[in-house]
Amino acid sequence: MSYILIVISAIFVNNIVLSQFLGICPFLGVSKKISTGVGMTGAVTFVMVIATIVTYLVQKLVLDPFGLAYLQTISFILVIAALVQLVEIILKKVSPPLYQALGVFLPLITTNCTILGVAIMTIQKDLNLVEAVVFSASTAVGFGLALITFAGIREQLELVDVPKGMRGTPIALIVAGLLALAFMGFAGLV
Amino acid sequence: MAKTESTLKNMVLTLLVITVIAGASLGFVYKLTKEPIALAKLNKQQTAIKEVVPGFNNNPGEEVLELTSKEGFNIKVFPARKDGELIGVAIETMTNTGFGGDVKIMVGLKPDGTIINYQVLEHKETPGLGTKMDVWFKTDKGHQSVLGKHPEKNNLTVSKDGGEVDAITAATISSRAFLKAVRVAYDTYTENSGKIASAQNSQPTAEGGVQ
Amino acid sequence: MNVVLITIITLGALGAVAAIILYFVAQKFKVFEDPRIDQVEEVLPAANCGGCGFPGCRAFAEAMVKADDISTMNCPVGGAEVMAKAAAVLGKEVEAAAPKLAVVKCNGTCENRPRLTTYDGASTCAIAASLYGGETGCSYGCYGLGDCVEACTFDAIYMDEETGLPVVDEEKCVACGACVSACPKNIIELRKQGPKGRRVFVSCVNKDKGAVARKVCSAACIGCKKCEKECPFGAITVVNNLAYIDDSKCKLCRKCVVVCPTNAIHEVNFPPRKPKPAIESTEKKSAE
Amino acid sequence: MNTLTVSPSPHVHGGDSVKKNMYGVVIALLPALAASLYYFGIGALVVTLTSVVSCVLFEWLIQKYLLRVPTTVSDGSAILTGLLLAFNMPTYLPIWIIIIGSLVAIGIGKMSFGGLGNNPFNPALVGRVFLLISFPVQMTLWPKPFESRFSYFNLTPDILDATTGATPLAAMKEGIANGETVSQIMDKLPSFNEMFFGLMGGSAGEVAAGMLLIGLVYLLLKKIITWHIPVSVIGSIFIFTGILHVVDPLVYASPVFHILTGGVMLGAIFMATDYVSSPMSNKGMILYGVGIGVITVLIRVFGSYPEGVSFAILIMNGFVPLIDRYIKPKRFGESVKPLKA
Amino acid sequence: MNQWKNFSKGFFKENAVFTLLLGMCPTLGVTSSAINGLGMGLATTFVLVMSNLVVALIKDFIPDKVRIPSFIVVIATFVTIVEMIMQAYLPSLFDALGLFIPLIVVNCVVLGRAEAFASKNSPVSSIIDGLGMGLGFAMALTILGSVRELLGSGKLFGNVIYPDQYGMLVFVLAPGAFIALGYLIAFINRVKEKA
Amino acid sequence: MLKTFSLGGVHPAENKLSAGQKIEVLPVPEQVSVPIAQHIGAPSEPLVKKGDTVKVGQLIAKSAGFVSANIHSPVSGIVQKIDDVLDASGYKRKAIIIKTEGDEWDESIDRSPALNKTIVASPEEIVKKVGAAGIVGLGGATFPAHVKLSVPPGKKCDVLILNGVECEPYLTSDHQLMMEKGEEIMVGTQILMKGLGVDRAIIGIENNKKDAIEHLTNLAKDYSGIEIQPLKVQYPQGGEKQLIDACIGRQIPSGKLPIEVGAVVQNVGTTFAVYEAVQKNKPLFERVVTVTGKSVSKPSNFLTRVGTPISTLIEAAGGLPEGTGKVIGGGPMMGKALSSIEVPVTKGSSGVLVVPEAESKRSEVQNCIRCSKCVSACPMGLSPYLLMTLSNKAMWDRAEEGKIMDCIECGSCSFTCPSSRPLLDYIRFGKGKVGQIIRGRNK
Ligand SMILES: Cc1cc2nc3c(=O)[nH]c(=O)nc-3n(C[C@H](O)[C@H](O)[C@H](O)COP(=O)(O)O)c2cc1C
Ligand SMILES: Cc1cc2nc3c(=O)[nH]c(=O)nc-3n(C[C@H](O)[C@H](O)[C@H](O)COP(=O)(O)O)c2cc1C
Ligand SMILES: Cc1cc2nc3c(=O)[nH]c(=O)nc-3n(C[C@H](O)[C@H](O)[C@H](O)COP(=O)(O)O)c2cc1C
Ligand SMILES: Cc1cc2nc3c(=O)[nH]c(=O)nc-3n(C[C@H](O)[C@H](O)[C@H](O)CO)c2cc1C
Ligand code: SF4
Ligand code: SF4
Ligand code: SF4
Ligand code: SF4
Ligand code: FES
């Protein structure tokens, strides 16, 4: 697969959030403001790329040689969990404002399906290491695109009077649905 | 309640203990389910082959041939024999021209190439449209069915392209992809028919067994 | 090799490596954060109403942890109970603050205060107030456009259609003070709830001279000082032609209520009394 | 003397109103509606009436019984949504599907957000795309002009076969996929002249480019919309397909073909310009228009849908808040030339 | 705590999907039919109960810094077990749920309960909590699955309710998942408000 | 193409009903009420007390700071009281109330109508005299004129712009003044030019006053450095920033004063007052006020003493018509609705507009439909729809970011909005809040 196709596919066509249903929790959770959305995107991109590289190596260097494919889930998640905790500890020290902004969601990156999902998909798709990096980075960009667009709409909805019963989560989900509906237009682009 | 402190020793020890226990239980369950999983996989393949080429009594999985079509697709050919006699082949074939990308089907051909039956293995077509291919081309209605047709003797393209097969309503693209996959299977089969016949005596490939 | 064994070794190794790396990084990048902040935050009601004067519950928790003395701080939503819990977490003392309640100090109903002009601008009190003195001659009184209602996150204040004045729902009001700061005319005050909800207060904020005030509103305080003289406890002072009852001194004897010539002093939640049934009706209204 | 009214300035109003704008757009749509009735006959009438009536009815019902707010159906926006939804549907569409489309457009697309002015996405397009994805079979059944005038209630497979055909875009897409060249395909299609007047298969209101352009002139004259969005949409589609066409005229159709077919005119003039779901600043509008143009071409040429305007507009609707946030109107005194003393 | 309350809170008051908005990915990803929703819900319940139990048992021995990794290993173990068992005995459901089975590991509900409940409570309460939460989750997924299946293809647990040509395909696809859940939550909020 | 400003603008119906009506001198009222705050800046300090006898033109309240202005008695008589009286907004403000007795002018005032062309005063004397005469901007902003004439050190003024635009619908006082006192305005211009030390002055006049343009162009031939600039009829052409942009193509940066681009703007009425002050020693205590309205039987332009009750003016214009819904002090775009017609004329009153009931109610407010018409109308390039919402939701930081302080309160946005949204109401309020925040921060 050429890199361009990987990029377009991961960002638009098979957008991780809007068509793959991964990472919905942070998508709904940290999208109230554009600025936190941007921060989250950064954090996810960072973690995702590193996690993909590390899990890729674990798979190729440890699991495959020993025929331990069934340990994929557990070893990947262990690696990711440790990694996220590292990022958290470092971030707390290096950039307290970003740490504050991401709040509870930083530990939840661990439980952000995108990271594990992408790590597993990379193996399933049988990509090589460079492709894996491109794939994970563009998936993260796709996540960011969806998240920031969504945050923009939600910020705008803050300014209008949404009916009481729909305020908050319901309307956010409707917006996500309509965004997904729109993104279906990209079908077949690759 | 006295929490264990976060010293290096404690941390390493705890994680070690937990992972060791986890490893032990996983290894154990793995051993337990290894057989059933393999069986389930084999079953799936056998059932699929049985559906498209009924009546064999060998283990086609053991005799599988891995081929590459002209278009560069990986094609698997499972020879089906009854008492050593080749009664047909089940071909795992594909195209990449579906509405949602790859379409993978298993098609059963008589030795002369006539279509016995097919089964759709994998696709990403739209539910309600392209997905209808799993029964559409078996249904005896209008000019839908391809069963009993021969890719060479019949013009197996959609009527829109001048062929004799009715496309799935509003899913011409999927229909074309389906028919194309059949064609790929047939072409690959005829090109390699010699190999297939001779494969009878060859060693079962590694792929043939359970993974 | 035995599958089980390999599994154990691989996972064990992964686990141990992860633990070691985590340990060293954690050592290197240590940040101290007072764990009590989390604990305090946990006891707060998480209404994030800002009534405490801090942006959200967590900020309040942080402030409480930092402060030496938290007796001046109060969570209006959780009240004394929550403050006591928070204090317990921090090992500090708080005095139970007397429960308070929002009180609307204007009785300029449509009857009491005839309308001289009609307002036709953006319908908020703040904007009306920045434009002009109001639809009636009283430039101190309530505009009735409901900024206070809007401000209350607890649905505790609503507009009485008939009088055009806001009414506080005593059950729901948590004395967060949002309405107090929302009102551009400073009409709402947080006052002691009083035993059994009994309160006596001056329901007027007009500082005009008596004659002027009376001309524009029949229920205005005219600053005649009768109540000031009457009060046995010195709880009432008249400043700028306006009487004010200090709720820490008021003993709820209700003598002032009787002497007020304009019925500007209101008593609420008292059992009905015989001699002056006339006032009863207005009391009821504001008590509801 | 009666009481004086006091209000902040200004004390006069220009007299513009929501109604004037909405009914203005309705008027601008009339030529295209007339063309549609002329070409597609009963079907066009049924689809339009059903859509408009059910949109208005749903808006009224939702406001009255669900939201319990004052009803505002008379402002004309629901009529417009109904009309534009109808314009985006093929004229053989069964009534029940139209009603579902109206419910989605008004219920999900508009009222869930609080009604007029609050919806981030274009309601009519929400309805249309929802239907397209839910009922792709019915939504891609294109009656031929004139031949389908008297069939709607009497549709039998025979009549269907005889009176439907592919839209030029679908034909182009299929042809290219089958390996034909553009000029081979074009020979089978109506001429540009015919296309301009709407002699081709397509949604009820989208076919007659000429009529839609009359509407555009009316809208511009009445100052209901500005030129920015229509020009940037049509212009960017023209330029982008033009470049492709120059690069390889065998597989990429000419820009004229692209702007005359499908929903480009309808979309650029009436749907991308929907106030509510488009940006506020002129620069923003141009960016939005170019975005729509580029995405439309991408979908048409490289994607799996033959027609991309609806999706492109919806996608760009999603970006409008960001555009508004970061692209501000030009401010007074912003670009000051340094004063030479 | 009253164990009944502890159990029942997962269904309504603290329902993971409808009120806490946790575990959204499987919620949206696998609920294209009721049976998938139910299967996923039960698989999650199993993991939830078991991991809650184990976490409650070992909570006192875990140093803080490795708390999350430890919990995750526990959870991942059970997930892998479920994965293997399903693969062996329910291959078709396994195929249908696909990637979402390993992703139970990262289902926020599971870790969330381990963190918020099991690590502070007794094993028995933790099991009950896990069961309540899990079944509540399963219930939510089944409801959403039913709604989507019914609207999308006219079926309920595979039984034809009305001909599928009247079904709105969009509900089987991504956008429909979001929209259906959105209105479901709005509806539940409304019911709750009245209650 | 006529010159005009570069962004936004609207065109309300002009309705210049009183155009061409000669300026009538209104009789001296029986009693005047002179507020001590008639200008931007600190209220003046009263110099008289109850019972004092004053003459016309006598200083009765003195400037209380740099940005403040003197106030002179508009009548002769006895000070009744100094008290809080209801002002136009229904709030109480301090005012000096004088009972008229005769009409005895201060001796120093030269009452002869003869034109005095020779300017003897030095630039410093000019600024001093203007200050002493209590002249404030008569264009409506009532900014003390001498402050504008004192160019701050380090800045340079190279052009004086006279505002004869009168872009407000209905109002005609400046128009009439230009027609009747053209010569005086020319001399006044020369005085201002001398005071500022510039040799170029431009008088901007909207093209709907062709007679005034012609008249002044003829007169300007005799004076060096004065140009007449016809301008497109477009509101708010008279806004200072817009006028400078239109006349000399310079845009004042956000938050800056005209002097930043080397310009000073004065209204033509102010210029006339400057002429009177410098050449005739006459302080500012009377001005031309237009009384107009569709239902008014005799729309007129009156020369009126400050402090005269508005009701007197309306009476002189034929009385308050039946069914009056609103009385506006000023024009319909920027004027203030009065809550009582007993309030007095002040230095800033350019007109009184009587609006019939049918036209005095606003239409019902609807949701913003994001039509962006307010954005296109705003002459300052702001986003009024957004500023209104931000103001409503108290998001002050974003409002400040959106340059809410740049709003000149012209009302073009509210005028255009098809949803009849009270945009300016909220923006004005927001400006107040944001202004407070900024001042608090700068402290
Ligand atoms: C949401 C949606 C999904 C579609 N899915 C498929 C599909 O899976 N397979 C297919 O061949 N066509 C699909 N189509 C239709 C194609 O876009 C195209 O219209 C059709 O294949 C043209 O063939 P026809 O001549 O049979 O109508 C889909 C269309 C839409 C709107
Ligand atoms: C604080 C302040 C200081 C000012 N200083 C000057 C000045 O030094 N020179 C000047 O020409 N105008 C000055 N002005 C006057 C303004 O430029 C402007 O003319 C006045 O506010 C009225 O303008 P308007 O009617 O367009 O609002 C000042 C205004 C303010 C509020
Ligand atoms: C929207 C707007 C419109 C104005 N229109 C006029 C006008 O028509 N004529 C005028 O003299 N001043 C007008 N002004 C006031 C001028 O901005 C400026 O204050 C005045 O010309 C300065 O002169 P002055 O200080 O002598 O009044 C307007 C101000 C604003 C904000
Ligand atoms: C120029 C213009 C274009 C419009 N286009 C649409 C449209 O494409 N779809 C629609 O549902 N409503 C349209 N409307 C109506 C209205 O703006 C729409 O219903 C709102 O989006 C509902 O909030 C349009 C209105 C105007 C003035
Ligand atoms: S009534 Fe006022 S004090 Fe009471 S809760 Fe509401 S806003 Fe707070
Ligand atoms: S009490 Fe104050 S805020 Fe409430 S309606 Fe009256 S004026 Fe407005
Ligand atoms: S009032 Fe302010 S925001 Fe409105 S148009 Fe005028 S300058 Fe712009
Ligand atoms: S003019 Fe009115 S409706 Fe249009 S954008 Fe501005 S505020 Fe909204
Ligand atoms: S379940 Fe996927 S992010 Fe929470």
Side-chain angles (χ1 to χ4, degrees), chain B residues 99 125-126 129-130 160 170-174, chain D residues 132-133 136 174 304-305:
Chain B
F99 186 79
E125 307 306 279
T126 315
L129 283 177
K160 214 181 226 175
T172 311
I173 298 171
S174 307
Chain D
L132 179 65
I133 288 173
E174 287 224 38
S304 44
Y305 293 99

Side-chain angles (χ1 to χ4, degrees), chain D residues 5 7-9 11 13 276 324 333, chain F residues 251 325 332 335 362 370 417 428:
Chain D
T5 301
S7 62
S9 65
H11 306 282
H13 188 267
V276 181
D324 275 344
Chain F
Q251 292 192 351
R362 295 182 174 183
R370 295 176 41 90
C417 177
R428 196 186 280 119

Side-chain angles (χ1 to χ4, degrees), chain B residues 1-203:
Chain B
M1 113 187 130
K3 275 250 171 192
T4 320
E5 271 187 58
S6 294
T7 61
L8 176 61
K9 195 185 86 208
N10 283 344
M11 280 167 69
V12 176
L13 219 60
T14 329
L15 260 191
L16 200 64
V17 171
I18 291 180
T19 43
V20 165
I21 297 176
S25 36
L26 280 183
F28 180 67
V29 177
Y30 175 66
K31 270 184 129 175
L32 272 187
T33 54
K34 192 171 168 183
E35 286 299 310
I37 289 179
L39 210 66
K41 275 193 181 154
L42 182 68
N43 251 341
K44 210 163 122 195
Q45 201 181 47
Q46 288 279 11
T47 333
I49 298 173
K50 221 171 250 159
E51 193 180 328
V52 298
V53 202
F56 60 88
N57 57 9
N58 65 332
N59 180 357
E62 281 175 1
E63 296 181 31
V64 71
L65 276 179
E66 299 226 0
L67 303 169
T68 306
S69 74
K70 296 198 291 285
E71 296 82 357
F73 302 132
N74 292 324
I75 308 292
K76 285 185 193 157
V77 180
F78 301 90
R81 300 173 207 281
K82 183 166 191 177
D83 309 328
E85 175 90 13
L86 188 73
I87 56 164
V89 283
I91 305 175
E92 211 182 293
T93 174
M94 64 173 294
T95 52
N96 56 3
T97 52
F99 186 79
D102 293 354
V103 173
K104 229 182 216 173
I105 60 172
M106 170 92 81
V107 58
L109 303 180
K110 286 191 184 151
D112 70 346
T114 310
I115 300 168
I116 306 172
N117 202 346
Y118 72 90
Q119 194 183 29
V120 178
L121 298 179
E122 225 182 282
H123 64 76
K124 293 190 211 114
E125 307 306 279
T126 315
L129 283 177
T131 48
K132 283 191 190 149
M133 67 168 77
D134 54 1
V135 289
W136 182 273
F137 299 104
K138 297 178 188 178
T139 314
D140 192 17
K141 197 165 131 195
H143 302 281
Q144 285 178 210
S145 178
V146 295
L147 306 192
K149 297 253 167 77
H150 189 278
E152 203 64 61
K153 294 175 198 149
N154 301 82
N155 181 358
L156 289 191
T157 53
V158 296
S159 38
K160 214 181 226 175
D161 302 342
E164 51 185 85
V165 183
D166 283 349
I168 306 167
T169 318
T172 311
I173 298 171
S174 307
S175 310
R176 283 199 188 110
F178 174 86
L179 294 172
K180 172 86 184 166
V182 172
R183 184 78 206 183
V184 168
Y186 176 77
D187 288 348
T188 317
Y189 168 67
T190 43
E191 263 170 43
N192 297 288
S193 51
K195 260 197 225 167
I196 292 162
S198 65
Q200 188 172 9
N201 306 318
S202 64
Q203 288 295 318

Side-chain angles (χ1 to χ4, degrees), chain C residues 154-167:
Chain C
F154 302 91
D155 262 349
I157 196 163
Y158 61 94
M159 271 296 157
D160 185 325
E161 303 275 319
E162 224 161 279
T163 59
L165 294 171
V167 182

